[in-house]
Amino acid sequence: MKKIRVNLDRRSNLSYDIFIENDILDRIGLLIAKKNVARRYIVISDSNVSSIYGEKFLEILRGVNLPADLIEFPAGEASKNIDTVSSIVRKLIEMGADRSSALVALGGGVTGDVTGFVASIYMRSIPYIQVPTSLLAQVDSSIGGKTGIDLPEGKNLLGTFFQPKMVFTDLKFLETLPDDEFNNGLAEIIKCGVIDDVELFHLLEREGEAIKNRNPDILETIVERTCRIKGGIVEIDEKDAGIRRILNFGHTLGHAIETASGYTISHGNAVSVGMIATARISEKLNYLSTGERNMIEKLIENTGLLNKIPESIETADIISGMKTDKKKKGDSIHFVLLKKLGVPFSNGSVEKRLIRETIEGLR
Ligand SMILES: NC(=O)c1ccc[n+]([C@@H]2O[C@H](COP(=O)([O-])OP(=O)(O)OC[C@H]3O[C@@H](n4cnc5c(N)ncnc54)[C@H](O)[C@@H]3O)[C@@H](O)[C@H]2O)c1
Ligand SMILES: [Zn+2]
């Protein structure tokens, strides 16, 4: 089993391990029991994941004599709100969960974000464990301790930084993950290749077919490499004050496209075309070579992710959805740009004129 340690600065008791392998469910129980995180475990899971894995997971914990219960909420981003938090909290109280209890987030990013948030505020915080079941959760949201929920005013507006005690990434979960969800995770993996790991980038180029077929060995390799990148960045910049911003590569435009589409375009697709646009901007500003820009576009296209901006989304709506750079009188937008593959820089300021032109060029 692969183990990645996330070391958090000077507070070793907050550091934790990410365990990665195919088919580790049977061993998870023992590892949790050994770590002795809590006396009692409450598994939080969405309706989809719970119906496939909920009971099995409870058996695994109970099998090693750990008292375990399950709380389920309706699947989907629409559940990532204060009502779900308050309903989970009420159930926890009803069950008599106290500070000797721990939560287990069994699911995708929504489950992880909501569970981490509840754990950070329930009785002034109780421990939690991440068991990410979507590819996006395995390579992105389960690492780094950002928790939170959406408000009607916007996504992720209410949240905390709260690190899990352990993360268990079992690639076997991916067997039941729908294709669109799988692609959301792939986009973040490509992003990590582009900003940090040229070898990973080439691996993705070479192994496209095996990845599409969800070959567990290749998945294990790319998930592990991506987790190392994200874990490494979080170690240096836990609270998102500096280098962690490079993880936003492709996201400035990506988020704006996602929002302007009324969320009909998935996060992974929006970020993918956002990465292409950002590579083009980096090329136009004479940072990135045409050859490398082309390689990025090819990889995204071959992976089957979105590489054009649909006509139905207005350029003006995309631009107005991005935060302007206050220091530059509102004519520029802050971007993470690329000098070359594997070398991003986060203080790029890009004029709206150039962004507009790039969006139009991607129709
Ligand atoms: N905390 C962070 O650092 C961070 C980072 C990135 C994204 N996020 C958040 O993560 C969320 C997106 O995560 P997501 O894409 O995992 O969404 P999700 O949790 O909604 O999962 C996507 C869908 O896949 C289903 N699913 C998950 N695992 C499955 C499996 N193994 N088999 C079958 N179905 C399965 C879920 O039920 C859901 O319908 C967003 O809310 C986003 O804001 C957080
Ligand atoms: Zn993302």
Side-chain angles (χ1 to χ4, degrees):
M1 181 151 28
K2 305 251 167 56
K3 191 164 99 174
I4 299 176
R5 180 127 187 108
V6 181
N7 285 302
L8 295 169
D9 203 32
R10 279 174 272 112
R11 291 164 299 159
S12 58
N13 61 327
L14 291 187
S15 300
Y16 58 96
D17 292 318
I18 305 169
F19 298 89
I20 306 174
E21 212 183 286
N22 191 37
D23 211 359
I24 43 173
L25 266 193
D26 292 342
R27 274 170 289 163
I28 291 180
L30 276 176
L31 285 164
I32 294 178
K34 216 168 99 191
K35 175 102 177 156
N36 202 11
V37 175
R39 275 210 289 271
R40 172 180 183 190
Y41 294 82
I42 292 113
V43 179
I44 316 276
S45 195
D46 78 19
S47 44
N48 294 338
V49 176
S50 164
S51 70
I52 315 177
Y53 302 105
E55 278 308 315
K56 183 161 182 217
F57 203 84
L58 288 181
E59 276 166 29
I60 278 160
L61 294 175
R62 290 172 184 159
V64 288
N65 289 324
L66 299 174
D69 296 284
L70 180 72
I71 296 177
E72 187 188 302
F73 65 91
E77 182 74 26
S79 284
K80 206 175 129 174
N81 61 28
I82 195 76
D83 293 335
T84 303
V85 167
S86 113
S87 124
I88 292 173
V89 163
R90 291 231 162 89
K91 284 180 189 148
L92 287 172
I93 294 169
E94 224 173 80
M95 288 174 166
D98 61 16
R99 292 180 52 90
S100 68
S101 310
L103 305 185
V104 180
L106 176 69
V110 167
T111 303
D113 281 13
V114 167
T115 305
F117 185 56
V118 170
S120 72
I121 54 176
Y122 185 71
M123 297 193 170
R124 305 205 166 77
S125 90
I126 59 174
Y128 78 114
I129 293 169
Q130 289 269 22
V131 185
T133 62
S134 72
L135 186 56
L136 182 125
Q138 297 191 337
V139 298
D140 191 352
S141 62
S142 68
I143 312 163
K146 278 191 190 174
T147 84
I149 53 168
D150 304 332
L151 293 179
E153 289 78 6
K155 283 194 63 177
N156 297 318
L157 288 178
L158 212 56
T160 55
F161 284 98
F162 192 59
Q163 302 291 343
K165 290 286 173 214
M166 315 172 90
V167 181
F168 294 102
T169 291
D170 189 342
L171 301 150
K172 192 137 181 83
F173 285 122
L174 302 179
E175 284 178 6
T176 55
L177 189 68
D179 284 342
D180 288 349
E181 304 301 342
F182 188 75
N183 279 348
N184 279 335
L186 274 186
E188 305 293 347
I189 294 174
I190 293 175
K191 176 192 77 182
C192 283
V194 170
I195 60 168
D196 196 273
D197 185 350
V198 184
E199 244 180 79
L200 171 63
F201 186 90
H202 292 315
L203 194 69
L204 295 170
E205 289 180 318
R206 274 199 316 273
E207 300 288 352
E209 208 46 40
I211 294 168
K212 219 168 266 166
N213 296 331
R214 306 199 192 177
N215 172 307
D217 295 331
I218 183 78
L219 284 181
E220 187 174 322
T221 308
I222 63 174
V223 167
E224 187 208 343
R225 286 189 93 109
T226 310
C227 286
R228 277 194 199 284
I229 295 167
K230 177 140 194 209
I233 291 171
V234 167
E235 278 180 351
I236 307 171
D237 180 21
E238 187 191 351
K239 299 275 165 74
D240 211 354
I243 188 179
R244 191 162 172 175
R245 288 198 199 124
I246 64 170
L247 291 167
N248 281 331
F249 177 74
H251 280 62
T252 308
L253 257 165
H255 277 145
I257 292 168
E258 202 181 351
T259 313
S261 79
Y263 295 94
T264 54
I265 296 187
S266 70
H267 182 71
N269 275 327
V271 167
S272 294
V273 70
M275 290 194 282
I276 291 180
T278 312
R280 289 191 179 188
I281 290 170
S282 305
E283 180 195 16
K284 286 180 188 163
L285 293 174
N286 292 323
Y287 294 113
L288 188 67
S289 73
T290 304
E292 291 198 336
R293 193 263 302 148
N294 239 325
M295 286 161 65
I296 294 170
E297 294 200 11
K298 276 261 138 47
L299 177 57
I300 288 172
E301 194 186 335
N302 291 343
T303 309
L305 287 156
L306 192 69
N307 62 350
K308 292 269 182 297
I309 301 173
E311 291 290 350
S312 56
I313 307 171
E314 302 274 344
T315 304
D317 288 345
I318 302 174
I319 305 257
S320 67
M322 290 187 283
K323 275 197 218 93
T324 51
D325 190 341
K326 288 185 201 78
K327 279 175 270 170
K328 295 271 167 83
K329 296 199 189 98
D331 288 332
S332 310
I333 289 172
H334 188 268
F335 267 75
V336 178
L337 295 176
L338 275 185
K339 285 195 177 136
K340 51 189 267 194
L341 264 186
V343 187
F345 65 105
S346 70
N347 53 351
S349 195
V350 180
E351 281 183 32
K352 282 188 181 170
R353 184 190 50 77
L354 179 55
I355 301 170
R356 209 170 288 128
E357 184 187 302
T358 308
I359 293 173
E360 291 302 329
L362 275 168
R363 299 296 188 175

